[in-house]
Amino acid sequence: MKFSLSFIFLLLSNSTIAQQSTDGNLIFYYKKIIQILAHYSLNGRSASSIFEDKAAKFIYQEFESTFSAKPKIHEFTYQTDSNHFSKNIYYFVNNHADSTILIGAHYDHIGLGENRSRSYGKKGIHNGADDNASGVALMLAIAQSLNSLSTKKYNYVFVAYSAHEIGLFGSAAFALFCRNKLPPLALVINFDMVGRFDKNARVLNIYGKKTLLQHQYFFETTTFSGKIHTS
Ligand SMILES: [Zn+2]
């Protein structure tokens, strides 16, 4: 199966975002999402905290206003030192196509850091603008731009994962859920730390190349002008 990554790369190029946007304002939207998710009032969005819950509510509202319909909440439990509860937020765009593409990003971060921080043991709000407000913002921006891309070739699942930083629990639970409740997936794209994109170096890192059955076609069909590093 041959897919195009061009819609992703279009969103990574600031000038093209402006062209693609129906209201000329996707860049503003992208930055706004990062600023809100990374704000101090969300306290670093640690998994299963009230702050992660606030972030979930915000993402829910963004999906709702983008699609003018209610997104879904996928609740799950996971275990670390004790049992925890959390939720993924997702929206399924059903174009009645044969193939479905899932685009996801985790919205939790490490809260006050401590033993998960690079500054080990230091307590302070870790805002997580890069990891991973940036990925959620890109996922939401692509959801917003779907209409202007006018493709009905695929169904889409947009999903914001919880409880990622402490063990990939949200995405693991959602993978199981997908198998039972959603059409088979042809492609899964996960955005994580897309805020690292350097406009001058213009190198885009894509991981998981070997998981693509026909990756030679996948990477040939891009209009992205920078370097693509795959592994
Ligand atoms: Zn991450």
Side-chain angles (χ1 to χ4, degrees), residues 106 131-132 164-165 192:
H106 74 89
D131 187 9
N132 186 33
H164 175 94
E165 295 293 356
D192 205 342

Side-chain angles (χ1 to χ4, degrees), residues 27-178:
I27 299 171
F28 178 80
Y29 178 73
Y30 179 80
K31 286 181 179 172
K32 183 193 86 173
I33 299 294
I34 293 174
Q35 283 166 355
I36 291 171
L37 288 175
H39 194 268
Y40 281 93
S41 62
L42 290 187
N43 218 49
R45 312 183 304 280
S46 65
S48 301
S49 68
I50 55 166
F51 303 105
E52 191 200 48
D53 193 50
K54 275 188 182 178
K57 284 186 176 119
F58 168 70
I59 293 164
Y60 184 99
Q61 286 165 359
E62 288 306 306
F63 275 139
E64 196 172 22
S65 64
T66 293
F67 294 111
S68 304
K70 292 205 177 300
K72 296 273 197 309
I73 296 171
H74 168 236
E75 298 176 331
F76 63 94
T77 56
Y78 63 96
Q79 193 171 16
T80 53
D81 50 338
S82 58
N83 287 326
H84 303 279
F85 162 85
S86 196
K87 53 198 171 214
N88 300 316
I89 314 296
Y90 74 98
Y91 192 91
F92 178 52
V93 180
N94 188 357
N95 289 324
H96 305 286
D98 294 334
S99 297
T100 300
I101 295 176
L102 184 151
I103 299 173
H106 74 89
Y107 67 95
D108 65 302
H109 191 53
I110 58 173
L112 299 180
E114 301 179 83
N115 61 348
R116 293 187 188 281
S117 173
R118 283 185 195 160
S119 313
Y120 189 82
K122 244 186 178 176
K123 200 170 175 180
I125 294 175
H126 287 57
N127 306 78
D130 179 24
D131 187 9
N132 186 33
S134 66
V136 175
L138 182 55
M139 183 269 290
L140 289 172
I142 290 175
Q144 272 223 346
S145 65
L146 255 199
N147 287 340
S148 62
L149 294 168
S150 68
T151 173
K152 303 278 185 206
K153 198 174 170 186
Y154 309 107
N155 308 312
Y156 295 90
V157 183
F158 293 95
V159 55
Y161 302 118
S162 161
H164 175 94
E165 295 293 356
I166 53 171
L168 312 179
F169 294 109
S171 52
F174 199 72
L176 283 176
F177 170 77
C178 278

